[in-house]
Amino acid sequence: MNGADSEVGRLATVMLHRPGAELKRLTPRNNDKLLFDAIPWVGRAQEEHDAFADALRDHGVEVLYLTELLQDTLEYEEAREEIIPAVLADRQLGDRLSQLTRRHLEGLDPEDLSQTLIAGLAREELQTGRGLVYDLMDRHDFVIDPLPNLLFTRDSSVWIGDRVAVTSLAMPARARESLLTRLIYTHHPRFSGIEHLYEPWLEHLEGGDVLLMAPGVIAVGTGERTTPAGVERLCRRVFATGLAHTVLAVPIAQQRATMHLDTICTMVDVDTVVMYPPVAYSLQAHTVTMTADDELRVAEPRPFLEAAAHAMGVERVKVIDTGLDPVTAEREQWDDGNNTLALAPRVAVAYERNVETNARLEAAGIKVIRIAGSELGSGRGGPRCMSCPISRERLSALA
């Protein structure tokens, strides 16, 4: 059964994207535009990702790969007819180049089309290209940009209960990721009959900002990537469908180091978070609930941990700090020390490089599964960012 009602229920199925040719497109000229802080060593990144996937399988997790799902989906003509025009809806291409590119894409088999939609299409690769726009492009410019951030599958979709929220990514470099993810959930037989809770054309909302704190309780960060309007839209939808009774709207700093809520806070047990110390006790939350006449009730801000404990029905939310001193904490937060992936209560995957954070997790009784991430982390994302849980054991069923 697909779906999840928490961050820590035993993980059954996950969707990953193994990095590939799209990372080889990164250069010092375009890495900022494509949202990478460094140029990764692609072969080593693939080795690290394979080890990550193997660690998940070793703990009984079924691993699905986005590329394989997309390739299967593109076997269906209706899926191809949907995605090709959507990908080419770029005003910078102009009519002529868009028309020629469409013909090129329509002539590709599902495997090659899948690779092109992910790795992009450079001007020099489009042999049929011509016209003013094409002639004025540099030979290394992209007719279709690559998607190096597709690695972070958490952002483009999140399962809440038995429904999937296909998110609306804020950065132009990532917008196509949601289109591909939605295509899979709409046309792949594996997800037949699944209802969508959110869609890419709605207000900006990213999966890295959504934490399923407990059955019925969702925290949503709002900052660089997720807008308050996106939080409001999600509130209305989860309340209308009965998937949540409380949403915590959590403002976070609008900067690169804290782009998502899960860069500063993730869950490792039903009542325990690992959290960046400088914000652990200063983070605020607005508690949002639904009134009897179907209006949103927004409470005055209160400390996030206090609001979360009240909504979750626990005495307090336990906190494991990232690092032992301010410098270590800042370094390990930048290296995704807070971005852990829970495989079950008190079992979490973390980057091995965050030595101090991992030691503190283990001292608190958390089993830490260490993975290498020197190259994977160059896009600013950890194990949680790189994984979209498709199915978790429901905590509500165990209560």
Side-chain angles (χ1 to χ4, degrees), residues 306-323:
E306 178 185 312
H310 183 265
M312 295 163 67
V314 298
E315 183 177 345
R316 66 185 180 92
V317 175
K318 302 169 188 173
V319 178
I320 302 170
D321 289 343
T322 309

Side-chain angles (χ1 to χ4, degrees), residues 113-367:
L113 179 56
S114 174
Q115 288 300 314
T116 301
L117 295 179
I118 292 171
L121 180 67
R123 178 196 185 277
E124 61 181 352
E125 295 168 340
L126 185 61
Q127 303 299 321
T128 58
R130 56 186 180 275
L132 180 63
V133 177
Y134 182 81
D135 289 345
L136 293 182
M137 295 175 75
D138 182 87
R139 63 188 292 263
H140 297 298
D141 285 344
F142 291 105
V143 178
I144 299 174
D145 284 335
L147 297 177
N149 294 279
L150 197 62
L151 169 66
F152 306 119
T153 55
R154 174 74 61 145
D155 291 335
S156 61
S157 68
V158 55
W159 288 77
I160 302 176
D162 59 357
R163 301 192 184 193
V164 63
V166 182
T167 61
S168 172
L169 299 174
M171 297 300 184
R174 302 196 65 183
R176 194 164 76 252
E177 295 176 41
S178 288
L179 297 181
L180 299 183
T181 304
R182 185 183 187 278
L183 195 77
I184 291 168
Y185 288 132
T186 302
H187 296 284
H188 197 287
R190 172 81 184 236
F191 304 107
S192 177
I194 293 298
E195 295 190 54
H196 293 193
L197 185 66
Y198 210 86
E199 300 287 8
W201 50 83
L202 297 174
E203 297 86 351
H204 291 315
L205 173 78
E206 301 203 354
D209 279 317
V210 181
L211 296 182
L212 307 183
M213 302 290 293
V217 181
I218 304 171
V220 188
T222 177
E224 187 192 43
R225 304 295 179 88
T226 294
T227 63
V231 181
E232 181 177 279
R233 178 75 66 180
L234 183 67
C235 286
R236 294 189 181 282
R237 295 198 165 199
V238 295
F239 294 152
T241 53
L243 294 174
H245 56 74
T246 304
V247 173
L248 305 174
V250 186
I252 57 177
Q254 298 191 36
Q255 57 192 31
R256 177 70 167 157
T258 56
M259 72 181 83
H260 290 132
L261 182 57
D262 70 4
T263 63
I264 54 179
C265 174
T266 49
M267 298 195 70
V268 291
D269 199 2
V270 293
D271 60 354
T272 306
V273 297
V274 55
M275 204 163 180
Y276 184 38
V279 301
Y281 302 101
S282 62
L283 207 61
Q284 299 285 299
H286 295 261
T287 299
V288 185
T289 53
M290 183 70 83
T291 67
D293 54 353
D294 294 334
E295 292 295 329
L296 296 184
R297 178 189 291 115
V298 184
E300 291 296 314
R302 61 193 292 194
F304 168 66
L305 294 172
E306 178 185 312
H310 183 265
M312 295 163 67
V314 298
E315 183 177 345
R316 66 185 180 92
V317 175
K318 302 169 188 173
V319 178
I320 302 170
D321 289 343
T322 309
L324 298 169
D325 62 78
V327 173
T328 300
E330 185 175 4
R331 283 172 54 87
E332 299 206 0
Q333 188 273 334
W334 178 251
D335 286 331
D336 300 294
N338 301 97
N339 197 261
T340 58
L341 171 66
L343 302 189
R346 310 187 74 75
V347 180
V349 182
Y351 279 151
E352 63 183 1
R353 65 192 298 167
N354 295 308
V355 176
E356 298 289 354
T357 301
N358 293 340
R360 292 180 72 82
L361 285 166
E362 290 181 328
I366 308 300
K367 178 181 177 181

